[in-house]
Amino acid sequence: MRLRLLALFAAYGMATLGVAGAALWLAARGGTDAVVQGVMVAGFGLAGLATGLWYLFDQHLARPIEMLAGSLRTGRPPDLSKTAHLADLGPAAQDAAAARLRTAEALDQALQTHAAEQVREKATLESILAEFGAGAVMTDGQGRVIFYNASAAGLLPGLALDRPLDRHLSGAALQAARARLDAGAPATDLSWMTGQGTRMSARLRRIEQGLLLTMRQPLPDSPAPRATLEALRRHAATLVPLLEALEGPVPPSLAKVLRAEGRGLAATTRRLSQILADDAPSGLAGLDELTAGLAHAGLLPPLVFRAEAGPLNALLVFLDRQLRAEGLEPRVSVRPDVLEGMQLVLEWQGAPVPVDQLEAWLGKAPDPGQPDLTGAEVLAAHGTAIWPEVDGRMARLVLPLARAEAAAEGRGVTYDFALAGRELSSSRLADLTCVVFDTETTGLTDSDRIVQIAGLRLVRGRLTGERFETLVDPGRSVPPASTAIHGITDRMLRGAPDLAAALAAFRHFCEGSVLIAHNAPFDMGFLRRAETETGIRFDNRVLDTVLLSAMVWGQSADHTLDDLASRLGIQIPPENRHRAMGDAIATAEAFLRLIPALEAKGIERFEDAVAEARRHRRLIGDANLPH
């Protein structure tokens, strides 16, 4: 490299002499015009030489050095093709980055080996707590949530780490309970009404400087059987004259009324059975548990039901086996039912099952492990029934079940006990509570609409597992060119929430958090332009990984999400690219890996990042500026 620099300056010196000689030759020709021409040649020639020298230094020294600095700070090997003119500096930086990676991997392996037993114990404890029937929430001394399990997430919608607990409970009830604890009580009960009108009760106990709240699932309201019997009487009173009026073919309008009344009668009967059942199921079973061992008629949704998985799964497998013995090929699916329930359907092409044959099957014990429990008794214990239907060439068996609340679809346990030691007002990048998000749209113009939005929460520099993801009905067709990029079709958007509902839910998810996006002005632009239509305002602070990348590698580097992921060693599965959650995950991983490199440059706090971003305004706009 020293020889290259010597050659470069020697060439510059010779070129300077050449320009000076040309200028003198022109001036020696005599006359004012010749002197002026000589001066102009000298001036423009020297300026051009200086510009050319700067360009060579910028392309072959400054930019590669910026890139090497970013690689060293992030511990990722540099691209040697861009360091050809730095002699041994590029390979040396690559060796240093590789050595750092090996050291980090060795340290990580040592820590993993040393902590293997603790990891297993931790996983076991998490599994136990995840299945714990009671909702459990723990706060630090300042009332911020530092732990909760799946049951709690369902009982208190919107529960999240680093948020105050009193936003989910009655302030007066919680304050009174704290007063009882301050008076010396080791634990105390409290109760309150939720915004949905459900009465909740819990036990509050002090844990060190914080609190532990344990809740039980609220008992479902049991309306008086008199009201249910009256509903039965009304449906029967409607059906009797309709049935007596039947002569010849049934008109379509009459058939429609008959079907509606029949479904109402069946639903009310099931409701009465649930009210009167002494052994109604108290367990929760996922659809995957209930349909294990059955052929599916398509991708089944992640539903959860109030049911005992063992007996019901045994019954469905038994019925499937009986149908196959008849030469049929049933497949299981689900469809909506009345009373906000769902119907499990065993469907096949062929003749329907006669009612007497179905009754004979239900009289047998489907589970060899419980030979004294018949299929009919399994259904009675769940307050439901099963019946045959026929629709043209398709026949089916229909089993209605009550869905569980969304609480049953919890994520296990979510916690970060170190939050208790963090300053409440800390603005360090590693301490921030963030939501990394991405949107997919119908296009790139200001008049286009959001079709998908996804986000995931980061607390104190780690992923919590809390996620938000929804399709959004844009109120218009998705152009084929946009579908070719993100794969979202008009059919996928049918039944999706509209923009107001989707943004209201997302606003709740990211309340009080710093928003992070890749090319944030684009995504924040869609959120902010929607304010006029929805009335939902996003005034969160914002970080942009494009700008953070420029702070580490310089503006001359490429800062697309793919380039950033490649430099940081982040793998984005092709099927997840240009899907909101896939891009949000990649952006979150990039942000976490950029924090140490930013800290090495003295950019430790949110305010530091915003101030440094102003130096890169020509690269991309600042999403924190007023809109």
Side-chain angles (χ1 to χ4, degrees), residues 185-214:
T188 185
D189 292 329
L190 70 156
S191 60
W192 68 96
M193 293 292 293
T194 67
Q196 293 74 35
T198 303
R199 179 171 296 279
M200 299 289 299
S201 60
R203 186 79 170 163
L204 192 67
R205 180 181 299 275
R206 196 173 296 284
I207 302 291
E208 295 183 350
Q209 299 300 316
L211 298 172
L212 174 64
L213 186 79
T214 54

Side-chain angles (χ1 to χ4, degrees), residues 374-435:
T374 66
E377 290 171 330
V378 171
L379 296 174
H382 286 79
T384 188
I386 191 168
W387 63 81
E389 286 185 2
V390 62
D391 182 9
R393 300 179 62 187
M394 301 301 297
R396 60 181 67 94
L397 293 178
V398 180
L399 170 63
L401 285 175
R403 285 192 62 182
E405 299 294 332
E409 302 175 22
R411 299 172 298 273
V413 294
T414 306
Y415 62 92
D416 186 351
F417 296 117
L419 280 172
R422 191 195 72 179
E423 294 180 14
L424 188 61
S425 59
S426 174
S427 63
R428 292 182 64 246
L429 296 178
D431 284 343
L432 293 177
T433 295
C434 311
V435 169

Side-chain angles (χ1 to χ4, degrees), residues 148 153 158-161 163 409-411 414 434-437 453-458 463-470 505-506 508-510 576 579-586 588-589:
Y148 64 90
L159 191 66
L161 293 181
R163 286 186 178 176
E409 302 175 22
R411 299 172 298 273
T414 306
C434 311
V435 169
V436 185
F437 80 105
I453 185 167
L456 54 161
R457 196 186 310 278
L458 294 173
L463 291 165
T464 67
E466 299 162 302
R467 294 188 174 197
F468 177 93
E469 184 175 16
T470 183
F506 182 62
H508 182 75
F509 179 77
C510 65
N576 293 342
R579 296 302 294 267
M581 182 55 74
D583 287 355
I585 291 172
E589 292 180 357

Side-chain angles (χ1 to χ4, degrees), residues 123-206:
T124 302
L125 179 60
E126 288 181 357
S127 300
I128 294 172
L129 291 173
E131 298 297 328
F132 191 48
V137 184
M138 189 179 296
T139 70
D140 63 5
Q142 297 165 318
R144 298 174 299 177
V145 175
I146 60 175
F147 169 94
Y148 64 90
N149 65 358
S151 297
L155 295 171
L156 301 176
L159 191 66
L161 293 181
D162 202 32
R163 286 186 178 176
L165 177 62
D166 56 14
R167 64 175 293 174
H168 300 283
L169 277 66
S170 165
L174 186 58
Q175 185 176 0
R178 283 173 171 165
R180 293 192 292 273
L181 293 178
D182 293 339
T188 185
D189 292 329
L190 70 156
S191 60
W192 68 96
M193 293 292 293
T194 67
Q196 293 74 35
T198 303
R199 179 171 296 279
M200 299 289 299
S201 60
R203 186 79 170 163
L204 192 67
R205 180 181 299 275
R206 196 173 296 284

Side-chain angles (χ1 to χ4, degrees), residues 1 4 60-62 64-65 68 82-91:
M1 185 169 67
R4 287 186 184 133
H60 301 298
L61 290 177
I65 287 174
L68 286 179
K82 298 180 180 180
T83 64
H85 296 278
L86 296 181
D88 199 38
L89 186 57

Side-chain angles (χ1 to χ4, degrees), residues 248-285:
V250 180
S253 58
L254 180 57
K256 182 178 180 180
V257 175
L258 284 172
R259 283 195 297 270
E261 290 300 321
R263 290 170 181 166
L265 186 61
T268 309
T269 303
R270 293 198 306 275
R271 183 63 176 149
L272 182 60
S273 298
Q274 292 171 354
I275 293 171
L276 299 178
D278 294 330
D279 54 351
S282 58
L284 300 174

